[in-house]
Every structure is written in structure tokens, then in C-alpha cells.
Amino acid sequence: MRVLIQAFIITLCFGSVAASAYPGMQPAATPAKPQSSVDKIQQLPEPYALDRVSFTDKEGHSVDFSQYQGKVVMVNMWATWCPPCVRELPALDALAKKLDKQDFVVLPISIDAEGQSLVKPFLSQLGMADFNSFYDQKQALSEIFPLDYIPATFILNKQGQLIAFVRSYVDWSDPKAEKMILEWLK
């Protein structure tokens, strides 16, 4: 009986130590809140100047970011073959329409190799025929932005410098997104 009691005490002592020995094994005091996709946006410690690289508008004219100085610019790299990219488009469109065009502009830039011949009918099928996409068929913007993962969004300050980025899907309809953008507009 004495051996049984000793075994029980040893089990209690060592068993409880082993069970709580690893961080994270303890039950959480309160359940964790789901993280907002907006929290994935990484702000740079200091603005970063970008080289001038051109892309095209829907008329085929050459465009670069210097044309938007004086505005906060949200550059969203996307493609028709990327489901998370396509999922972002309606919220990006709504955000662009909601915020003051004098201070803020959204530049959705398709990297589809086929350009407008693919993108325009695709947007029409989505019911977004009026969506203003830009084009970078040759992915020239890869000189200044990593394009190995899309969707990717890059935020430029009013001086045309990179201040934040996210290389993931973001729910741009989240009120946290608008709040963050309004902070950049100050």
C-alpha cells in the first residue's frame, strides 16, 4: 500500500510538472480574438524612395507614380488567375469611391500577361465593367516591388515614397483599413 501511495504522489508531482512544462500548453485565460487582415499591413520605420518605373492605363498610356505626388497612393498588384486578388477588388473599388480623390488614389495594377484583352471581359463578368485597372503586362514594377506573391499592396505617401506594404489578402472593407488610411492622409 505504501508503494502505491508513493507512486501516486510521484505521479502527481512529476505529472503536473510535465503537463505545464511547455509554454502554450496551459489553457488560455480568455479565447484569442480573430486577427483582422488589416493587422498584416507592415509599416516601414522610415519612408523609402522608389525608382521611376512605368506601367499603363486603360488607354495604353505610360504612367508612373510621380504623376500622383501630393496624394496617398494605394498600389494593388493583382491578376485574374489569383482568387484572393479578385476577392479584394470590390472592396478596393468601394474604398476608392469613399475617400477623397484629392488626397487618395487606388491604383489596381493587373500583372496578367494578356493585359486588357483578358482583364476587361473578366471585370465585366464580375459586374465591375467600370473598374479602373492599370496594367503591367511585363511586370516592370518587379524592379521596385516584389511580385512573387500576390495580392500585394504597397502604400506610397504624398511624396511618392513607400511607407507600408502587405503581401496577402486584406479585407479593405474592414473599418480598420479606412482608419489606417485616414492616419496616412494627415
Side-chain angles (χ1 to χ4, degrees):
M1 180 71 153
R2 187 175 174 157
V3 173
L4 206 56
I5 293 174
Q6 286 177 339
F8 180 71
I9 292 172
I10 290 171
T11 302
L12 278 177
C13 290
F14 291 113
S16 63
V17 170
S20 63
Y22 301 104
M25 289 186 68
Q26 299 81 11
T30 56
K33 281 186 166 180
Q35 186 181 29
S36 166
S37 60
V38 176
D39 295 333
K40 296 177 184 176
I41 298 171
Q42 297 179 32
Q43 295 191 48
L44 300 179
E46 293 187 24
Y48 182 80
L50 299 172
D51 291 335
R52 189 175 288 192
V53 179
S54 297
F55 49 100
T56 59
D57 64 14
K58 63 184 175 183
E59 285 84 32
H61 300 117
S62 183
V63 180
D64 66 61
F65 301 126
S66 68
Q67 295 170 248
Y68 297 95
Q69 283 197 351
K71 298 181 182 191
V72 170
V73 179
M74 176 185 279
V75 180
N76 179 265
M77 307 302 293
W78 73 281
T80 58
W81 45 264
C82 167
C85 299
V86 174
R87 187 173 157 209
E88 282 185 328
L89 295 180
L92 283 170
D93 192 35
L95 188 62
K97 290 175 180 173
K98 186 175 187 177
L99 295 174
D100 186 359
K101 291 168 184 39
Q102 296 296 327
D103 297 320
F104 177 75
V105 64
V106 175
L107 300 179
I109 303 174
S110 165
I111 62 169
D112 286 288
E114 299 85 354
Q116 277 197 67
S117 64
L118 176 68
V119 173
K120 198 169 181 179
F122 178 80
L123 290 171
S124 290
Q125 287 178 338
L126 291 177
M128 297 181 68
D130 295 333
F131 186 74
N132 186 25
S133 185
F134 292 80
Y135 303 91
D136 184 20
Q137 293 169 257
K138 296 181 181 175
Q139 297 188 21
L141 289 169
S142 66
E143 291 179 29
I144 57 172
F145 298 138
L147 298 180
D148 57 325
Y149 188 88
I150 57 171
T153 303
F154 304 91
I155 309 296
L156 311 182
N157 64 15
K158 292 181 179 185
Q159 293 74 40
Q161 301 165 316
L162 182 66
I163 58 170
F165 69 94
V166 60
R167 296 176 63 208
S168 174
Y169 166 82
V170 173
D171 178 5
W172 296 107
S173 65
D174 184 330
K176 286 180 84 171
E178 184 177 348
K179 183 179 177 184
M180 183 177 281
I181 293 165
L182 290 174
E183 284 297 315
W184 291 326
L185 291 173
K186 290 181 180 180

